[in-house]
Amino acid sequence: MRIAVTGATGVLGQEAVAALVAEGHEVTGVTRRERGVPVIEGRGASAVVADVFDAADLEQAFRGHDVVINALAKLPIGMAAMRPLAWREDDRLHLEASVAIAEAAARAGAGRLVQESTIFLYPDNGSDWIGEDEPLSVRNQAFRPRVREMRAAVDFAQGGRTAVILRLGQLFGRDPQTTHALKATREGQAILLGKPENYVTLLHHRDAGRAFVAALQAGSGFYNVGGEPITRRRWAKDLGTEAGIEGSAKFFPDLTQAIVGTRLDVQRRSLRVSSLRFMSETGWRPTIGPSTPGWSRM
Ligand SMILES: NC(=O)c1ccc[n+]([C@@H]2O[C@H](COP(=O)([O-])OP(=O)(O)OC[C@H]3O[C@@H](n4cnc5c(N)ncnc54)[C@H](OP(=O)(O)O)[C@@H]3O)[C@@H](O)[C@H]2O)c1
């Protein structure tokens, strides 16, 4: 298939491009700047320079493609995320670029849109499982961009088109966010939010890339994508092991956790998320878990 990928130079997009190319698809990666071109070409795809906020520019880039995959995100790293302004770029990408992408994909004649989303929109559900039908906890204004993005994908599905919305688990791997967590762990600094008994649903970048390929088989709808949920206590241990220290990664004290603000508060939620629907519909399976030795170098 001919597939266009936005966010193709990002952590997630690069994995998606490589996985799609490996499956024999003809892939075009979108970047806003010339220096993104070799990154995309290095993954075996063609590159096109376009502005993701400009629907006309995008429509031209998407022409002749069967599928558009939107993997755009720009998350702040570490505790910088406590500053509301640190989310401005990410918000704009979801509120404006994702909408322009869905509209341009429809106008360009693509039959399928795969939209990256996140499990962090689910409410804290303790030790109970979370399926796709669980109502989201998105009342706060901070979640408006993600809700608007979902609506744009749902609108795309009108008129016989397919929209697949992937609610990805917490990404881990060789990326800046995890690298920061491992460094803090080695230095003995606190890095984890939530309670040790809370659940976390992780997704290795490699498996996330493969999920975008699997999404080509899925019907329109929302799908959770993650590995087997584990407790945060277990994740703390796995982080410690991968960081090469004796003990576990440390949790922030309660007082700090109480003032992290809405954006980081989602990371305190207990999210025991089931990916059964995605696995049974597409055959996708996670292959790298937090106890897989060397996961931060894969
Ligand atoms: N579910 C999760 O846990 C989750 C989800 C997403 C990200 N993350 C983590 O967050 C960290 C950062 O990754 P990321 O994907 O957010 O960022 P990133 O890897 O820096 O990628 C940003 C992408 O957005 C594109 N972009 C286009 N227009 C942009 C604009 N105006 N401003 C900023 N970027 C623009 C960039 O493309 P060009 O520069 O080529 O145009 C690039 O492809 C990683 O550690 C990742 O694992 C986690």
Side-chain angles (χ1 to χ4, degrees):
M1 275 193 252
R2 291 205 66 204
I3 302 173
V5 180
T6 51
T9 59
V11 169
L12 204 50
Q14 285 195 52
E15 293 291 351
V17 167
L20 291 161
V21 168
E23 286 299 311
H25 295 292
E26 208 180 310
V27 182
T28 307
V30 178
T31 174
R32 77 199 126 138
R33 41 198 179 185
E34 286 297 334
R35 72 179 141 106
V37 172
V39 176
I40 294 166
E41 290 179 348
R43 296 277 179 169
S46 315
V48 60
V49 176
D51 178 359
V52 290
F53 295 98
D54 183 334
D57 218 12
L58 288 169
E59 187 180 335
Q60 204 177 345
F62 294 163
R63 283 239 167 262
H65 292 82
D66 310 298
V67 180
V68 171
I69 292 179
N70 182 13
L72 275 178
K74 190 63 197 162
L75 265 58
I77 307 295
M79 291 312 267
M82 275 180 75
R83 294 196 308 266
L85 281 184
W87 290 84
R88 213 164 35 175
E89 215 166 0
D90 189 62
D91 281 351
R92 245 193 107 216
L93 287 175
H94 299 300
L95 190 64
E96 297 173 27
S98 295
V99 176
I101 288 164
E103 289 173 1
R107 283 206 294 272
R112 177 180 291 266
L113 173 70
V114 182
Q115 172 63 56
E116 174 265 356
S117 189
T118 172
I119 62 164
F120 286 110
L121 304 176
Y122 287 122
D124 185 314
N125 213 23
S127 57
D128 289 342
W129 285 92
I130 296 175
E132 285 83 353
D133 298 332
E134 184 73 33
L136 301 178
S137 174
V138 288
R139 282 249 180 92
N140 196 292
Q141 272 294 98
F143 302 118
R144 203 166 70 92
R146 282 300 199 169
V147 173
R148 180 71 191 90
E149 173 183 81
M150 273 189 272
R151 285 224 182 91
V154 170
D155 288 347
F156 174 90
Q158 306 299 316
R161 291 182 290 259
T162 304
V164 177
I165 299 163
L166 300 181
R167 292 182 176 151
L168 304 184
Q170 182 177 323
L171 293 171
F172 76 112
R174 212 170 31 173
D175 62 297
Q177 192 78 264
T178 322
T179 305
H180 170 80
L182 288 169
K183 182 168 176 283
T185 301
R186 272 184 216 107
E187 291 168 357
Q189 293 166 21
I191 191 66
L192 292 169
L193 290 164
K195 295 197 174 79
E197 64 271 23
N198 287 351
Y199 278 86
V200 58
T201 303
L202 297 161
L203 176 66
H204 194 274
H205 285 98
R206 215 27 79 72
D207 289 328
R210 292 173 44 255
F212 285 102
V213 180
L216 302 175
Q217 312 297 322
S220 274
F222 297 92
Y223 298 89
N224 300 331
V225 187
E228 182 66 26
I230 56 172
T231 61
R232 291 185 178 273
R233 179 180 292 108
R234 174 74 223 195
W235 175 223
K237 182 86 198 85
D238 290 334
L239 267 173
T241 305
E242 190 67 12
I245 64 162
E246 280 288 315
S248 299
K250 290 185 183 151
F251 285 81
F252 283 105
D254 288 348
L255 201 63
T256 312
Q257 297 215 24
I259 55 153
V260 289
T262 314
R263 303 305 192 122
L264 283 182
D265 196 55
V266 298
Q267 290 193 23
R268 299 176 60 203
R269 295 177 179 175
S270 184
L271 299 173
R272 191 182 194 186
V273 175
S274 163
S275 304
L276 222 58
R277 181 186 286 179
F278 191 60
M279 293 199 281
S280 53
E281 185 143 339
T282 68
W284 175 89
R285 296 282 182 280
T287 60
I288 305 170
S291 51
T292 308
W295 54 255
S296 62
R297 297 182 295 283
M298 292 173 180

